[in-house]
Amino acid sequence: MSREYGPKSQLRLAVLWPPFLVSGVATVLAFVMFDPLPLLANTDLAALSRLQADSIGLFWFWLITTASSWLTCCFQRPPGQREHTAVNA
Amino acid sequence: MTSSIEHFEQALYAKREKIFPRQVHGLFARWRLLGVIVLMGIYYGLPWVTLGDRQAVLFDLPARKFYIFGLTFWPQDFIYLTSLLIIAALALFFFTALAGRLWCGYACPQTVWTEVFLWIERKVEGNRAQQMKLDKSPWTARKLLIRGTKHFLWIALSLWTGYTFVGYFTPIREFGLAVLNLSTGPWETFWLIFYGFATYGNAGWLREQVCIYMCPYARFQSAMFDKDTLIISYDADRGEPRGSRKRGIDPKSAGLGDCIDCTLCVQVCPTGIDIRNGLQYECIGCSACVDACDEVMDKMEYSRGLVRYTTENALEGRPAHVLRPRVLIYATILVGLLGAVGYSIASRVPIGLDVIRDRNALYRETAEGLVENVYTLKLINMDDHHHRFRLSASGLEDLTLKLDHESIEVPAGQVREFSARLQIDPVDLKKASNEVFFELEAINNVALKVRESARFLGPTGSR
């Protein structure tokens, strides 16, 4: 039984999904360790509540980890290869 | 025009044949049902349990306090969260090495919620054959009504799931009132919908694709397997050559094995694989095929276990070993960690003391010629009772502690910051940097005491 993959959508999820898992854990660990309020006290974000800060923190982590994940996908391809078929192999 | 559902199925991730798992009855199905009821009961019920005048389990993010029944954890108890995560991971390793994908088949939220969603689907759309017929039929008013009802129920359950999720972080009763008044905060609303949508998408639409494509555990669990790990396997020696036959015929005389090729094991599989093709990583070990095949074997009056829980060694006729080095190692570490965390929580002193040296001056000399260091102390009373504390200092001879007040009062669950000064005659100072200790003791409860070290700085050497 052979399956045909949609490489584009699969690549997109492969870039987005693992970062989401990791940033979930990272958010819990980070905000249990550090209270966001004193950290933000002297910034423009001082008005945020903890729940807001934690939620934004999650998306911030997600953004950073996605960048890392995306770079991994880029580097996974051997240099010189042009087409976007990293997962298609 | 193709239906929107078909289009969704095609485009979302991979081309996929829609799976309609057939309902299964039997021993393992009953175990899974028990798992579903217990786990769902815990998830949906726990936020409603109250202890005294507060929610028994509440992760109060705004106040940074985490209530788990009688215990109140603070961010300072970070180590427990870390230990809990390590214990959870080790337990997963242990059970995987011992019994394969038990987690996937019985306890994973993906499995548990999918079971509930499948149950709703069966109640609304009927059995497998009816579901398949409905799926193929054109969009009539009847189909619209049935599908609409199903999705309405799914979405209702998903929103309730999201509501419950938020209820772990914000008091669920007050949040319920806020929902009824449509006065929830923006982030609470966001998380309710986000978590609800994730439930709806994962358990309603994605199902086995989560296990096959999205689950990290599914990818690395095989590393914990060995030849003695419990797996679900088809006994090919006994079953082959497969083929249909009339009931009552001796299979040997017809040149057949015990497998009647009824394909029920394929029809019940939630990930749509054929267990007879051997161990596959799509197999989540739910044992639906075991139940299905046992039922067929009973009808055929063959012995059960053509598809069964077994091990690679047992299939090859070698003796099985339950106690192997990896199982023993995982078990030892697990028991050790559990014991350590249990002891540590039981003997936890619910007060905390943070000592921060004044950063502006290393030291100063008083009018009397003494060397003085200034500290900011943060006292955290994590207990449920109000306490009065006494502070003392030690570590150097003739060290004097100067405080603004004799004793420090901290109400339950509060933090108090105050400054303390340590003074010493420079003659008694042998080194530039010395270790000193602050000792804090509750006046009304001598069991509540902590000791925290700090540095005391002075001029180099004695005069």
Side-chain angles (χ1 to χ4, degrees):
Chain A
M1 191 171 71
S2 73
R3 278 206 180 83
E4 278 181 49
Y5 294 102
K8 263 284 168 58
S9 62
Q10 214 167 30
L11 193 63
R12 261 178 227 136
L13 275 185
V15 168
L16 282 171
W17 176 243
F20 181 75
L21 292 178
V22 174
S23 42
V25 177
T27 307
V28 172
L29 293 182
F31 288 122
V32 169
M33 244 194 302
F34 304 107
D35 183 356
L37 293 191
L39 290 178
L40 299 174
N42 296 320
T43 69
D44 292 342
L45 301 171
L48 290 181
S49 74
R50 283 199 177 105
L51 183 64
Q52 287 170 327
D54 290 356
S55 303
I56 292 169
L58 172 73
F59 287 101
W60 176 238
F61 276 125
W62 195 5
L63 192 73
I64 299 170
T65 46
T66 300
S68 158
S69 182
W70 176 73
L71 280 177
T72 305
C73 272
C74 292
F75 287 126
Q76 183 207 29
R77 250 181 308 148
Q81 203 176 312
R82 282 186 164 217
E83 58 274 63
H84 277 278
T85 51
V87 189
N88 206 20
Chain B
M1 201 184 88
T2 52
S3 74
S4 61
I5 292 169
E6 243 172 62
H7 179 71
F8 188 86
E9 297 289 341
Q10 299 277 318
L12 186 70
Y13 200 75
K15 275 192 182 152
R16 137 191 208 235
E17 227 167 283
K18 214 167 165 185
I19 297 167
F20 299 91
R22 188 190 179 98
Q23 194 180 8
V24 61
H25 307 277
L27 176 68
F28 299 110
R30 281 199 294 278
W31 274 109
R32 189 166 32 261
L33 180 67
L34 184 72
V36 168
I37 291 170
V38 169
L39 292 170
M40 288 282 159
I42 292 174
Y43 176 78
Y44 290 108
L46 208 51
W48 297 96
V49 179
T50 50
L51 193 76
D53 53 355
R54 66 150 192 259
Q55 196 169 318
V57 176
L58 179 68
F59 308 112
D60 190 347
L61 289 180
R64 288 172 67 75
K65 285 180 200 163
F66 309 95
Y67 304 104
I68 299 173
F69 293 100
L71 296 167
T72 306
F73 291 99
W74 287 58
Q76 282 76 6
D77 296 315
F78 181 69
I79 182 78
Y80 294 119
L81 178 70
T82 322
S83 321
L84 189 73
L85 290 177
I86 295 172
I87 287 173
L90 268 173
L92 195 62
F93 294 172
F94 171 73
F95 284 110
T96 307
L98 198 66
R101 295 176 71 168
L102 273 189
W103 165 259
C104 301
Y106 299 92
C108 176
Q110 179 64 25
T111 301
V112 171
W113 264 298
T114 301
E115 281 287 318
V116 179
F117 273 58
L118 282 173
W119 179 78
I120 292 174
E121 193 166 55
R122 261 196 306 269
K123 289 286 167 213
V124 176
E125 292 189 352
N127 64 24
R128 180 172 190 259
Q130 290 165 321
Q131 287 175 25
M132 289 167 93
K133 198 174 152 206
L134 184 75
D135 194 53
K136 287 213 178 70
S137 78
W139 278 98
T140 58
R142 181 179 163 272
K143 181 170 176 176
L144 206 63
L145 182 72
I146 293 177
R147 281 281 160 93
T149 312
K150 179 179 85 174
H151 285 285
F152 173 78
L153 291 173
W154 278 2
I155 290 170
L157 178 67
S158 300
L159 286 177
W160 185 253
T161 309
Y163 167 70
T164 307
F165 176 73
V166 177
Y168 277 93
F169 299 93
T170 191
I172 196 164
R173 286 159 211 273
E174 290 158 41
F175 182 54
L177 288 178
V179 171
L180 291 178
N181 296 330
L182 298 177
S183 62
T184 53
W187 282 102
E188 288 166 340
T189 317
F190 168 79
W191 283 116
L192 191 160
I193 292 170
F194 184 90
Y195 201 85
F197 177 76
T199 309
Y200 174 69
N202 283 344
W205 291 100
L206 290 170
R207 295 193 181 166
E208 85 287 349
Q209 297 180 87
V210 173
C211 312
I212 296 173
Y213 301 109
M214 294 163 73
C215 177
Y217 170 67
R219 303 290 172 106
F220 66 70
Q221 42 86 21
S222 60
M224 271 121 11
F225 272 55
D226 59 24
K227 291 196 159 190
D228 288 306
T229 299
L230 217 49
I231 50 169
I232 289 168
S233 184
Y234 164 69
D235 192 340
D237 285 346
R238 187 187 142 189
E240 299 296 319
R242 64 184 83 155
S244 57
R245 79 273 328 249
K246 284 210 177 78
R247 213 192 308 196
I249 284 180
D250 178 31
K252 285 196 189 75
S253 68
L256 291 168
D258 279 356
C259 175
I260 65 166
D261 207 10
C262 63
T263 70
L264 276 178
C265 54
V266 182
Q267 294 177 33
V268 296
C269 181
T271 66
I273 57 167
D274 187 341
I275 192 71
R276 295 172 299 176
N277 296 339
L279 187 63
Q280 294 146 78
Y281 96 98
E282 287 97 334
C283 174
I284 58 167
C286 73
S287 60
C289 50
V290 178
D291 280 334
C293 189
D294 279 348
E295 212 173 31
V296 172
M297 290 296 111
D298 287 352
K299 273 188 199 141
M300 297 299 293
E301 292 174 355
Y302 298 166
S303 62
R304 288 182 166 200
L306 180 58
V307 180
R308 64 171 184 270
Y309 270 113
T310 182
T311 69
E312 229 182 300
N313 271 342
L315 274 177
E316 289 165 7
R318 281 195 290 267
H321 319 272
V322 177
L323 300 173
R324 291 106 64 194
R326 71 166 73 201
V327 170
L328 292 175
I329 291 169
Y330 286 145
T332 313
I333 304 176
L334 197 57
V335 170
L337 260 177
L338 276 172
V341 170
Y343 173 77
S344 156
I345 288 182
S347 60
R348 191 172 78 113
V349 176
I351 51 174
L353 181 67
D354 282 343
V355 182
I356 306 154
R357 248 186 54 86
D358 185 8
R359 279 174 209 152
N360 295 324
L362 291 179
Y363 62 89
R364 66 182 183 212
E365 273 181 51
T366 62
E368 298 87 38
L370 300 173
V371 177
E372 183 182 82
N373 278 206
V374 182
Y375 303 83
T376 303
L377 274 69
K378 211 160 128 186
L379 207 175
I380 308 153
N381 179 7
M382 298 183 262
D383 205 14
D384 289 334
H385 303 284
H386 171 113
H387 289 295
R388 186 190 286 274
F389 296 94
R390 194 182 306 129
L391 190 72
S392 57
S394 64
L396 288 170
E397 243 175 277
D398 293 327
L399 189 68
T400 338
L401 171 71
K402 297 276 182 191
L403 282 172
D404 297 338
H405 304 283
E406 269 292 285
S407 64
I408 309 118
E409 260 188 83
V410 190
Q414 298 281 313
V415 181
R416 180 108 329 145
E417 234 180 63
F418 57 95
S419 67
R421 290 170 295 144
L422 289 181
Q423 295 177 342
I424 196 167
D425 188 330
V427 176
D428 293 325
L429 216 51
K430 304 281 181 293
K431 289 182 293 181
S433 174
N434 306 272
E435 188 169 35
V436 291
F437 300 97
F438 285 100
E439 273 136 27
L440 187 77
E441 192 183 300
I443 292 170
N444 53 359
N445 184 352
V446 285
L448 286 182
K449 58 177 162 193
V450 281
R451 184 177 149 106
E452 204 53 48
S453 75
R455 303 306 303 180
F456 185 93
L457 305 181
T460 320
S462 56
R463 260 181 229 170

